[in-house]
Amino acid sequence: MEMIVRNPRDGIYAATPDYVHAMEVRQPERLVFVSGTMGLDPAGRAGADLNSQLHLIWSNLRRILAETQMTTKNIVRVTSYLRDVSFTEANQNARVAALGEHRAPTTAIVVETLQDDWLVEIEIIAAA
């Protein structure tokens, strides 16, 4: 499998350092579509605050990926659903920390459909 970052330089706005416009995936053998993942601990309890929920989400995503013999380096798409627009920076920082040098196309959407104690939900697509 080959992953190629696609950031056109002409005729479109520049991508920022924390994401890419597109990821071309050539000849993947496997694709994994991960449901919206919550900041819940193994007992199903939500983290007490935004940062603890983001930590739990990325821990849960790493565990799900491990089940498929993948890591965060296999992520080709990230979509975040935020309860409040003020969560944008913390979500971005958590994503950058979780992905390290790896970049993926990403979108953050503010929604009102999360349960009261859920502050953020993240879904991913991974390829290998």
Side-chain angles (χ1 to χ4, degrees):
M1 179 188 77
E2 184 179 11
M3 295 191 320
I4 304 165
V5 170
R6 297 295 186 184
N7 278 327
R9 296 183 191 269
D10 299 321
I12 190 170
Y13 57 91
T16 59
D18 67 309
Y19 85 101
V20 297
H21 280 301
M23 179 74 70
E24 180 179 345
V25 181
R26 293 185 179 180
Q27 300 178 340
E29 292 182 13
R30 299 179 294 130
L31 295 173
V32 175
F33 297 83
V34 180
S35 295
T37 302
M38 308 306 305
L40 306 176
D41 67 17
R45 292 181 302 262
D49 59 23
L50 178 61
N51 286 328
S52 63
Q53 287 191 27
L54 287 164
H55 174 78
L56 284 165
I57 287 170
W58 283 102
S59 176
N60 292 337
L61 289 171
R62 283 189 293 275
R63 176 61 189 95
I64 292 165
L65 288 168
E67 189 73 13
T68 68
Q69 291 78 49
M70 293 188 198
T71 70
T72 56
K73 292 189 182 334
N74 294 94
I75 294 173
V76 296
R77 178 78 177 129
V78 179
T79 305
S80 301
Y81 302 93
L82 311 175
R83 176 174 290 289
D84 191 279
V85 70
S86 67
F87 299 166
T88 303
E89 185 175 356
N91 179 64
Q92 175 184 358
N93 292 341
R95 178 179 33 72
V96 168
L99 297 182
E101 294 297 314
H102 180 66
R103 296 294 179 257
T106 182
T107 300
I109 303 165
V110 177
V111 298
E112 296 180 0
T113 57
L114 298 176
Q115 290 187 17
D116 289 342
D117 57 343
W118 296 353
L119 303 178
V120 63
E121 178 178 352
I122 298 176
E123 65 183 22
I124 61 171
I125 300 172

